[in-house]
Amino acid sequence: MKVGILGLGLIGGSLARAYSIAGHSVLAREQDASILSFAMLAGAVDGELNDETIPTCDLILLAIYPDGSARWLEQHAHQISQETLVIDCCGVKEEICRRCFPLAQRFGFTFVGGHPMAGSHFSGFKYSKASLFHGAPMVLVPPVFDDMELLQRVKDALAPCEFGSFSVTTAQDHDRMIAFTSQMPHILSNAYIKSPTALEHKGFSAGSYKDLTRVAWLNPQMWAELFLENRENVLRELDYYIESLHAYREAIRQEDLDTLTALLEEGKRRKEEVDG
């Protein structure tokens, strides 16, 4: 299989390594020529994804920011073979699916929205690894939901990544859920670490601090774009959280032990409930 990959950051680089190790031919497009050269020296990439090689790809994976992925597909859709499967790996789905489903229908190739639920607080090709997706969930947004042959085709195409499970949903439901499970934790972690007290934490912090602050170390440009593309869902989750924080603050301010205990008990029960 010949695989084209747009972008060689953490996700794109890890995809390249996974497919290369599995024995597939990997072509890549990367704005930074030095990164592309390094990926080729590392054996993760065999050549450049360009006007000449795009039509030869069996699978194309879009692994840059959502707007950039959609714009690249808009510019190159006419060069993609009708036998090609295109999957994006972006963190939000509504905008890219809205723009890319019609392109696939117009030019005859197959486009499926995708979101590998794996990553790291580090970014860039140097942190990529072939095992990044091993056992991880993969969320799929297909153009239709009753095409079992298409879903099997997607699973087969993604086999070198060794995902642990596949979920199928709509772009709207994906973005609603991801605002809570992914985007909110990054906002909360990034905001929490801004306390002046953080500068004095050494010697006073343990697992809870590390867990809460791990994703404060993020790619600012990428996450800012993701938050804005999923604006309404993120604002709704922020409102829920701010309302809850206000309740805790008032209970502490008023030294209301009963209310504070009840709030903590409610949170504990919810954790037990959502984790089964």
mmCIF file of all heavy atoms in Angstrom, residues 195-220:
data_model
loop_
_atom_site.group_PDB
_atom_site.id
_atom_site.type_symbol
_atom_site.label_atom_id
_atom_site.label_comp_id
_atom_site.label_asym_id
_atom_site.label_seq_id
_atom_site.Cartn_x
_atom_site.Cartn_y
_atom_site.Cartn_z
ATOM 1 N N SER A 195 -1.326 30.121 38.484
ATOM 2 C CA SER A 195 -1.312 30.630 39.862
ATOM 3 C C SER A 195 0.107 31.022 40.254
ATOM 4 O O SER A 195 1.061 30.291 39.962
ATOM 5 C CB SER A 195 -1.813 29.558 40.830
ATOM 6 O OG SER A 195 -1.527 29.922 42.172
ATOM 7 N N PRO A 196 0.276 32.158 40.938
ATOM 8 C CA PRO A 196 1.620 32.543 41.397
ATOM 9 C C PRO A 196 2.258 31.477 42.285
ATOM 10 O O PRO A 196 3.486 31.347 42.325
ATOM 11 C CB PRO A 196 1.370 33.835 42.179
ATOM 12 C CG PRO A 196 0.080 34.362 41.646
ATOM 13 C CD PRO A 196 -0.740 33.169 41.286
ATOM 14 N N THR A 197 1.442 30.703 42.953
ATOM 15 C CA THR A 197 1.942 29.671 43.855
ATOM 16 C C THR A 197 2.681 28.573 43.106
ATOM 17 O O THR A 197 3.520 27.867 43.691
ATOM 18 C CB THR A 197 0.778 29.060 44.653
ATOM 19 O OG1 THR A 197 -0.066 30.105 45.136
ATOM 20 C CG2 THR A 197 1.281 28.256 45.839
ATOM 21 N N ALA A 198 2.383 28.417 41.822
ATOM 22 C CA ALA A 198 3.029 27.357 41.036
ATOM 23 C C ALA A 198 4.549 27.495 41.044
ATOM 24 O O ALA A 198 5.270 26.496 40.976
ATOM 25 C CB ALA A 198 2.503 27.371 39.605
ATOM 26 N N LEU A 199 5.043 28.719 41.144
ATOM 27 C CA LEU A 199 6.484 28.948 41.145
ATOM 28 C C LEU A 199 7.161 28.377 42.389
ATOM 29 O O LEU A 199 8.382 28.214 42.413
ATOM 30 C CB LEU A 199 6.771 30.452 41.042
ATOM 31 C CG LEU A 199 6.285 31.142 39.757
ATOM 32 C CD1 LEU A 199 6.456 32.648 39.866
ATOM 33 C CD2 LEU A 199 7.062 30.603 38.552
ATOM 34 N N GLU A 200 6.373 28.051 43.409
ATOM 35 C CA GLU A 200 6.930 27.574 44.672
ATOM 36 C C GLU A 200 6.569 26.119 44.965
ATOM 37 O O GLU A 200 6.750 25.658 46.085
ATOM 38 C CB GLU A 200 6.399 28.457 45.819
ATOM 39 C CG GLU A 200 6.613 29.943 45.595
ATOM 40 C CD GLU A 200 5.808 30.781 46.596
ATOM 41 O OE1 GLU A 200 5.436 30.236 47.655
ATOM 42 O OE2 GLU A 200 5.549 31.960 46.298
ATOM 43 N N HIS A 201 6.060 25.394 43.963
ATOM 44 C CA HIS A 201 5.469 24.082 44.240
ATOM 45 C C HIS A 201 6.475 22.981 44.554
ATOM 46 O O HIS A 201 6.128 21.981 45.182
ATOM 47 C CB HIS A 201 4.605 23.635 43.051
ATOM 48 C CG HIS A 201 5.381 22.986 41.953
ATOM 49 N ND1 HIS A 201 5.658 21.635 41.940
ATOM 50 C CD2 HIS A 201 5.967 23.503 40.843
ATOM 51 C CE1 HIS A 201 6.359 21.339 40.852
ATOM 52 N NE2 HIS A 201 6.563 22.456 40.184
ATOM 53 N N LYS A 202 7.743 23.127 44.138
ATOM 54 C CA LYS A 202 8.696 22.031 44.291
ATOM 55 C C LYS A 202 8.853 21.628 45.760
ATOM 56 O O LYS A 202 9.057 22.470 46.628
ATOM 57 C CB LYS A 202 10.041 22.407 43.687
ATOM 58 C CG LYS A 202 9.998 22.509 42.166
ATOM 59 C CD LYS A 202 11.367 22.760 41.561
ATOM 60 C CE LYS A 202 11.273 22.811 40.041
ATOM 61 N NZ LYS A 202 12.591 23.082 39.416
ATOM 62 N N GLY A 203 8.744 20.309 45.959
ATOM 63 C CA GLY A 203 8.815 19.783 47.316
ATOM 64 C C GLY A 203 7.469 19.659 47.982
ATOM 65 O O GLY A 203 7.348 19.065 49.058
ATOM 66 N N PHE A 204 6.433 20.223 47.338
ATOM 67 C CA PHE A 204 5.093 20.196 47.908
ATOM 68 C C PHE A 204 4.073 19.516 46.993
ATOM 69 O O PHE A 204 2.890 19.516 47.287
ATOM 70 C CB PHE A 204 4.606 21.621 48.200
ATOM 71 C CG PHE A 204 5.400 22.352 49.249
ATOM 72 C CD1 PHE A 204 6.552 23.043 48.900
ATOM 73 C CD2 PHE A 204 5.000 22.326 50.579
ATOM 74 C CE1 PHE A 204 7.286 23.711 49.861
ATOM 75 C CE2 PHE A 204 5.737 22.993 51.545
ATOM 76 C CZ PHE A 204 6.888 23.686 51.196
ATOM 77 N N SER A 205 4.526 18.979 45.862
ATOM 78 C CA SER A 205 3.583 18.435 44.891
ATOM 79 C C SER A 205 3.844 16.944 44.654
ATOM 80 O O SER A 205 4.973 16.471 44.747
ATOM 81 C CB SER A 205 3.695 19.192 43.566
ATOM 82 O OG SER A 205 5.033 19.180 43.094
ATOM 83 N N ALA A 206 2.753 16.247 44.341
ATOM 84 C CA ALA A 206 2.851 14.804 44.094
ATOM 85 C C ALA A 206 2.001 14.449 42.878
ATOM 86 O O ALA A 206 1.874 15.228 41.932
ATOM 87 C CB ALA A 206 2.419 14.032 45.336
ATOM 88 N N GLY A 207 1.370 13.288 42.927
ATOM 89 C CA GLY A 207 0.663 12.774 41.761
ATOM 90 C C GLY A 207 -0.478 13.629 41.285
ATOM 91 O O GLY A 207 -0.673 13.793 40.070
ATOM 92 N N SER A 208 -1.273 14.175 42.190
ATOM 93 C CA SER A 208 -2.440 14.955 41.761
ATOM 94 C C SER A 208 -2.012 16.205 41.000
ATOM 95 O O SER A 208 -2.635 16.591 40.004
ATOM 96 C CB SER A 208 -3.303 15.335 42.966
ATOM 97 O OG SER A 208 -2.536 16.038 43.937
ATOM 98 N N TYR A 209 -0.927 16.839 41.449
ATOM 99 C CA TYR A 209 -0.414 18.020 40.753
ATOM 100 C C TYR A 209 0.081 17.641 39.361
ATOM 101 O O TYR A 209 -0.225 18.310 38.371
ATOM 102 C CB TYR A 209 0.715 18.650 41.564
ATOM 103 C CG TYR A 209 1.479 19.717 40.812
ATOM 104 C CD1 TYR A 209 1.022 21.023 40.758
ATOM 105 C CD2 TYR A 209 2.664 19.393 40.132
ATOM 106 C CE1 TYR A 209 1.719 21.998 40.049
ATOM 107 C CE2 TYR A 209 3.355 20.360 39.424
ATOM 108 C CZ TYR A 209 2.891 21.655 39.389
ATOM 109 O OH TYR A 209 3.572 22.608 38.683
ATOM 110 N N LYS A 210 0.823 16.554 39.284
ATOM 111 C CA LYS A 210 1.369 16.133 37.986
ATOM 112 C C LYS A 210 0.252 15.760 37.018
ATOM 113 O O LYS A 210 0.306 16.092 35.840
ATOM 114 C CB LYS A 210 2.323 14.952 38.188
ATOM 115 C CG LYS A 210 3.595 15.320 38.932
ATOM 116 C CD LYS A 210 4.479 14.095 39.143
ATOM 117 C CE LYS A 210 5.738 14.463 39.914
ATOM 118 N NZ LYS A 210 6.588 13.275 40.166
ATOM 119 N N ASP A 211 -0.766 15.038 37.521
ATOM 120 C CA ASP A 211 -1.881 14.650 36.660
ATOM 121 C C ASP A 211 -2.613 15.876 36.111
ATOM 122 O O ASP A 211 -2.987 15.923 34.939
ATOM 123 C CB ASP A 211 -2.867 13.775 37.436
ATOM 124 C CG ASP A 211 -2.309 12.396 37.742
ATOM 125 O OD1 ASP A 211 -1.305 12.003 37.113
ATOM 126 O OD2 ASP A 211 -2.870 11.710 38.623
ATOM 127 N N LEU A 212 -2.823 16.858 36.964
ATOM 128 C CA LEU A 212 -3.614 18.022 36.574
ATOM 129 C C LEU A 212 -2.862 18.953 35.634
ATOM 130 O O LEU A 212 -3.472 19.609 34.782
ATOM 131 C CB LEU A 212 -4.056 18.793 37.823
ATOM 132 C CG LEU A 212 -4.955 20.008 37.621
ATOM 133 C CD1 LEU A 212 -6.215 19.636 36.835
ATOM 134 C CD2 LEU A 212 -5.331 20.623 38.956
ATOM 135 N N THR A 213 -1.534 19.008 35.771
ATOM 136 C CA THR A 213 -0.770 20.002 35.001
ATOM 137 C C THR A 213 -0.082 19.439 33.765
ATOM 138 O O THR A 213 0.508 20.195 32.991
ATOM 139 C CB THR A 213 0.304 20.663 35.886
ATOM 140 O OG1 THR A 213 1.194 19.644 36.387
ATOM 141 C CG2 THR A 213 -0.337 21.402 37.043
ATOM 142 N N ARG A 214 -0.164 18.128 33.534
ATOM 143 C CA ARG A 214 0.589 17.518 32.423
ATOM 144 C C ARG A 214 0.276 18.190 31.093
ATOM 145 O O ARG A 214 1.178 18.514 30.320
ATOM 146 C CB ARG A 214 0.281 16.015 32.340
ATOM 147 C CG ARG A 214 1.034 15.306 31.217
ATOM 148 C CD ARG A 214 0.698 13.833 31.172
ATOM 149 N NE ARG A 214 -0.697 13.593 30.843
ATOM 150 C CZ ARG A 214 -1.173 13.549 29.601
ATOM 151 N NH1 ARG A 214 -0.368 13.748 28.563
ATOM 152 N NH2 ARG A 214 -2.455 13.311 29.373
ATOM 153 N N VAL A 215 -1.012 18.403 30.791
ATOM 154 C CA VAL A 215 -1.360 18.933 29.467
ATOM 155 C C VAL A 215 -1.353 20.456 29.412
ATOM 156 O O VAL A 215 -1.748 21.042 28.406
ATOM 157 C CB VAL A 215 -2.722 18.382 28.985
ATOM 158 C CG1 VAL A 215 -2.630 16.891 28.720
ATOM 159 C CG2 VAL A 215 -3.831 18.698 29.969
ATOM 160 N N ALA A 216 -0.881 21.122 30.487
ATOM 161 C CA ALA A 216 -0.669 22.575 30.391
ATOM 162 C C ALA A 216 0.437 22.870 29.388
ATOM 163 O O ALA A 216 0.471 23.929 28.762
ATOM 164 C CB ALA A 216 -0.308 23.151 31.752
ATOM 165 N N TRP A 217 1.328 21.887 29.214
ATOM 166 C CA TRP A 217 2.405 21.993 28.230
ATOM 167 C C TRP A 217 1.836 21.534 26.894
ATOM 168 O O TRP A 217 1.823 20.349 26.570
ATOM 169 C CB TRP A 217 3.573 21.120 28.653
ATOM 170 C CG TRP A 217 4.840 21.356 27.875
ATOM 171 C CD1 TRP A 217 4.978 22.043 26.719
ATOM 172 C CD2 TRP A 217 6.140 20.887 28.223
ATOM 173 N NE1 TRP A 217 6.276 22.040 26.307
ATOM 174 C CE2 TRP A 217 7.029 21.339 27.213
ATOM 175 C CE3 TRP A 217 6.661 20.154 29.272
ATOM 176 C CZ2 TRP A 217 8.389 21.057 27.238
ATOM 177 C CZ3 TRP A 217 8.012 19.877 29.296
ATOM 178 C CH2 TRP A 217 8.861 20.320 28.300
ATOM 179 N N LEU A 218 1.334 22.478 26.125
ATOM 180 C CA LEU A 218 0.625 22.166 24.888
ATOM 181 C C LEU A 218 1.162 22.989 23.727
ATOM 182 O O LEU A 218 2.042 23.824 23.895
ATOM 183 C CB LEU A 218 -0.885 22.404 25.068
ATOM 184 C CG LEU A 218 -1.355 23.684 25.786
ATOM 185 C CD1 LEU A 218 -1.070 24.926 24.975
ATOM 186 C CD2 LEU A 218 -2.834 23.615 26.097
ATOM 187 N N ASN A 219 0.622 22.721 22.552
ATOM 188 C CA ASN A 219 0.942 23.503 21.357
ATOM 189 C C ASN A 219 -0.075 24.646 21.283
ATOM 190 O O ASN A 219 -1.229 24.428 20.901
ATOM 191 C CB ASN A 219 0.846 22.607 20.116
ATOM 192 C CG ASN A 219 1.169 23.336 18.821
ATOM 193 O OD1 ASN A 219 0.917 24.526 18.677
ATOM 194 N ND2 ASN A 219 1.722 22.614 17.868
ATOM 195 N N PRO A 220 0.312 25.865 21.674
ATOM 196 C CA PRO A 220 -0.670 26.964 21.796
ATOM 197 C C PRO A 220 -1.443 27.259 20.521
ATOM 198 O O PRO A 220 -2.669 27.436 20.557
ATOM 199 C CB PRO A 220 0.188 28.155 22.224
ATOM 200 C CG PRO A 220 1.389 27.550 22.859
ATOM 201 C CD PRO A 220 1.654 26.299 22.098
#
